[in-house]
Amino acid sequence: MTVTEFKNEFLIHYNAIATNSAPGLDDFEISVFLTKAQLELVKNNYKIDGNKYREGFEGSEKRRVDLRELVKDYKSTQIVTSTSKIHTDSKFFKIPDDVFLIVYEDVTISTTDCYNGNILNVNVKTHDEFIIQIDNPFKKPDQNICWRLDFSKIGNDRVVELINPYTISQYHLRYIMYPPPIIISNFTSSFPGEGLTIDGSAVSQTCVLDKELHREIVDRAVQLALRDYKPANLESKISLDLRNE
């Protein structure tokens, strides 16, 4: 859909359901509801228990289609220096700012022995697991496995903390990016001087997801608007949250 089509279909459904007492919505408010609905659908379609068919990411051909436009590949060789290491074998690697959910990752190690160039799988660990397992010689990272701990930012860089005794020459990941907002008009011209943005953006842009999800996004956005403005009228529509395929 184009941004005009998103707006028109939203208003058709909203006006058909809302009563005369429901407030009119401007372009910024409609954009907020569309963007929120989009994010909810991405989360629900990723989780096994987030939709009525209980199909998670890549659980069916439809799930592949639903999220494929958000799947990106990235190879990082940029090590970020920090004194925040949890272990002497820790290395911080920079990752893109738009990473939402990591779905695959590996590392390439560089050594002076026969393991040079080996590609290792990455196991995600909680901090509790790290504490329990790091001194266990049968579970700690080695030439076959690398660990990852989540970390926030170092300076302006989003990073992950990778733990392995060898030098890591490359960190490779596939991830679902955070979906860009749906903005149905340029806020700088529609709302001059107000400085309105959604996720830092004020420029008109449509949905990047596959077109088969667009009307589901519109339907969910209308539900969200009704919930906020006419909660009494939404009581019979709560079950629609599980309607997504």
Side-chain angles (χ1 to χ4, degrees):
M1 286 188 194
T2 64
V3 292
T4 301
E5 290 171 333
F6 266 108
K7 178 178 180 178
N8 290 342
E9 292 209 16
F10 177 94
L11 290 174
I12 288 172
H13 293 296
Y14 179 75
N15 292 332
I17 298 173
T19 64
N20 291 333
S21 61
L25 302 177
D26 60 31
D27 285 0
F28 177 72
E29 292 169 312
I30 295 173
S31 298
V32 168
F33 286 124
L34 288 169
T35 299
K36 186 173 182 179
Q38 173 185 242
L39 183 58
E40 284 191 5
L41 282 173
V42 168
K43 290 179 178 178
N44 288 348
N45 289 352
Y46 181 82
K47 298 187 301 181
I48 291 177
D49 59 352
N51 55 86
K52 68 180 181 181
Y53 293 118
R54 301 185 65 80
E55 294 173 343
F57 176 61
E58 296 184 332
S60 68
E61 186 61 25
K62 184 181 188 303
R63 287 292 164 262
R64 292 173 180 271
V65 172
D66 286 346
L67 300 178
R68 65 186 175 190
E69 299 301 329
L70 299 180
V71 178
K72 298 177 71 174
D73 191 85
Y74 183 78
K75 294 179 174 68
S76 175
T77 57
Q78 184 175 346
I79 298 177
V80 179
T81 302
S82 174
T83 58
S84 299
K85 293 180 178 182
I86 198 170
H87 192 268
T88 55
D89 289 338
S90 293
K91 297 96 175 168
F92 290 104
F93 271 77
K94 178 178 170 58
I95 62 173
D97 289 334
D98 64 351
V99 171
F100 183 35
L101 301 164
I102 296 175
V103 298
Y104 171 82
E105 52 195 325
D106 63 51
V107 298
T108 303
I109 59 173
S110 177
T111 75
T112 57
D113 55 26
C114 60
Y115 301 123
N116 185 51
N118 278 11
I119 297 175
L120 314 184
N121 290 327
V122 176
N123 282 358
V124 182
K125 295 293 182 179
T126 66
H127 286 78
D128 285 343
E129 289 171 334
F130 170 84
I131 293 170
I132 294 170
Q133 298 177 11
I134 190 59
D135 293 323
N136 185 329
F138 300 104
K139 292 186 176 181
K140 65 189 299 184
D142 55 19
Q143 70 276 8
N144 297 309
I145 200 72
C146 179
W147 286 359
R148 167 168 66 86
L149 289 173
D150 290 319
F151 203 79
S152 55
K153 283 188 174 183
I154 297 176
N156 294 322
D157 294 324
R158 285 192 66 183
V159 298
V160 293
E161 186 171 11
L162 302 177
I163 303 169
N164 189 274
Y166 294 96
T167 299
I168 298 175
S169 57
Q170 178 179 274
Y171 173 52
H172 172 221
L173 67 154
R174 285 275 178 98
Y175 66 95
I176 296 175
M177 73 174 187
Y178 193 89
I182 302 171
I183 300 178
I184 61 174
S185 67
N186 289 316
F187 295 156
T188 51
S189 55
S190 299
F191 307 94
E194 296 189 27
L196 297 178
T197 62
I198 300 177
D199 294 339
S201 181
V203 179
S204 175
Q205 55 190 23
T206 190
C207 178
V208 301
L209 294 172
D210 193 270
K211 64 182 180 180
E212 67 92 17
L213 269 181
H214 289 185
R215 285 188 171 84
E216 289 185 45
I217 292 171
V218 171
D219 290 344
R220 177 65 63 88
V222 171
Q223 294 170 28
L224 294 174
L226 291 171
R227 183 193 65 185
D228 284 357
Y229 292 116
K230 296 291 292 183
N233 289 352
L234 192 61
E235 195 66 34
S236 63
K237 303 180 184 299
I238 297 298
S239 61
L240 294 181
D241 286 343
L242 298 177
R243 179 182 61 183
N244 304 312
E245 295 181 354

